[in-house]
Amino acid sequence: MIEGYNDYKAIQRQWLAIQNNEDNQRVLKEYESLQQLIHKTLQRKSSYDTQYIAITLLDGAMTNPGNVTIQNITFTDDGFSMVGIANSDESYQSYMQYVQSHLIRWICNGKQDIQQDSGYTVFHMDGHPKEHEHSHAENDRS
């Protein structure tokens, strides 16, 4: 038992020596600095993705002036959803093709509901990154 305690004390002294070592403290500070930089970079990338998606969705509506109106765009941690109105099925299809051709790294699923009395198409679209899809498939295999 005494040998075990002596071993413990020796390991504790080594650990304290490492913790108080200037090189170790410098490395820990650099590591924390890098972690902060990574966090900021990931936040910036997320912001750029959000801006790109918003511009693409709006630009798609503007390429069909008067044919597609966006009612709402909502961004979540794992993608986006939107609600819009198209004045015809053709306008809706054209808009979906535009969005899907510009958001290549995204999977966009659209659902439409044609309003019989007005002839307008109300649609809802959800989008999430394709990598997100792969991670679910890999998780299912585990």
Side-chain angles (χ1 to χ4, degrees):
M1 177 107 172
I2 293 176
E3 288 179 14
Y5 180 72
N6 288 336
D7 288 344
Y8 166 77
K9 292 298 272 181
I11 291 170
Q12 186 180 27
R13 278 191 301 275
Q14 289 175 348
W15 184 80
L16 287 172
I18 291 170
Q19 294 301 312
N20 293 327
N21 182 296
E22 288 180 24
D23 288 338
N24 183 56
Q25 291 177 357
R26 181 182 47 78
V27 168
L28 285 175
K29 285 180 183 176
E30 288 177 13
Y31 177 76
E32 288 174 11
S33 175
L34 287 173
Q35 288 291 77
Q36 290 174 356
L37 180 63
I38 289 169
H39 181 71
K40 286 179 184 177
T41 303
L42 290 175
Q43 284 180 327
R44 210 173 295 134
K45 181 190 178 308
S46 175
S47 174
Y48 291 147
D49 285 349
T50 300
Q51 291 172 14
Y52 179 75
I53 292 166
I55 289 169
T56 301
L57 295 174
L58 294 171
D59 192 46
M62 289 189 292
T63 59
N64 290 315
N67 295 328
V68 174
T69 304
I70 296 176
Q71 298 291 312
N72 184 22
I73 302 172
T74 305
F75 292 96
T76 62
D77 290 339
D78 60 347
F80 68 91
S81 65
M82 67 158 293
V83 176
I85 299 173
N87 66 0
S88 67
D89 182 55
E90 293 80 23
S91 296
Y92 165 75
Q93 295 298 333
S94 174
Y95 180 75
M96 288 298 293
Q97 287 176 348
Y98 178 90
V99 170
Q100 289 174 337
S101 70
H102 285 80
L103 297 179
I104 296 170
R105 296 181 321 193
W106 289 76
I107 295 174
C108 300
N109 300 313
K111 297 176 186 172
Q112 62 179 335
D113 179 29
I114 299 174
Q115 303 293 320
Q116 296 298 329
D117 54 338
S118 66
Y120 287 103
T121 300
V122 177
F123 63 93
H124 177 88
M125 182 187 344
D126 290 319
H128 60 271
K130 287 184 179 177
E131 296 85 12
H132 186 54
E133 184 88 351
H134 294 297
S135 66
H136 281 306
E138 290 172 6
N139 289 338
D140 291 343
R141 281 187 238 140
S142 301

